Amino acid sequence: GLLEAQAPPNAQLRRINPHVGSAVEGVACALPTQLARGLDAAAGGRGGVSSFGYSGTIAHAVLEAAPRSPGTTSPPPLAYARRRYAWREAPHPLLQRREADADGRQADAFSSPASGPLLALVADHV
């Protein structure tokens, strides 16, 4: 990590796209495929991180090592407090109402837009 001046590997990098390779040719950069010596403040180390989400969310960050001051120590480890959140399940789109059955248990009443021949086709499968 950053505190150890290490650069994590690119998880899926097998070979460099020719467009990327030609763009970084002659530039002092590295695309590590295993844990590597990374952001060194004395060498002016910088690094970039990109994240591409399935829903189209894209994020980029440029990181730079902070100069070490004499006598500074590492910050204390972070403390996390777990919390539970109530999970609310969305109602079924065909749910019309909830009512008590003969035993007093809650039962759901559904309504389907299917009618006629379509209802006859799926009636045995519902």
Side-chain angles (χ1 to χ4, degrees), residues 13-105:
L13 182 63
R14 299 293 180 262
R15 60 188 161 98
I16 297 177
N17 180 312
H19 298 292
V20 174
S22 63
V24 297
E25 194 171 307
V27 176
C29 72
L31 301 170
T33 56
Q34 58 188 354
L35 190 62
R37 192 169 158 267
L39 304 175
D40 183 8
R46 289 183 189 88
V49 179
S50 296
S51 176
F52 304 93
Y54 287 111
S55 64
T57 304
I58 300 174
H60 304 288
V62 176
L63 308 172
E64 182 174 12
R68 288 241 180 221
S69 302
T72 60
T73 60
S74 297
L78 295 175
Y80 294 99
R82 288 183 171 243
R83 295 186 347 190
R84 287 183 172 253
Y85 293 94
W87 179 259
R88 236 199 264 166
E89 200 170 311
H92 191 281
L94 300 176
L95 179 66
Q96 293 296 310
R97 63 185 179 282
R98 293 182 185 250
E99 51 192 38
D101 64 7
D103 298 329
R105 294 177 300 193

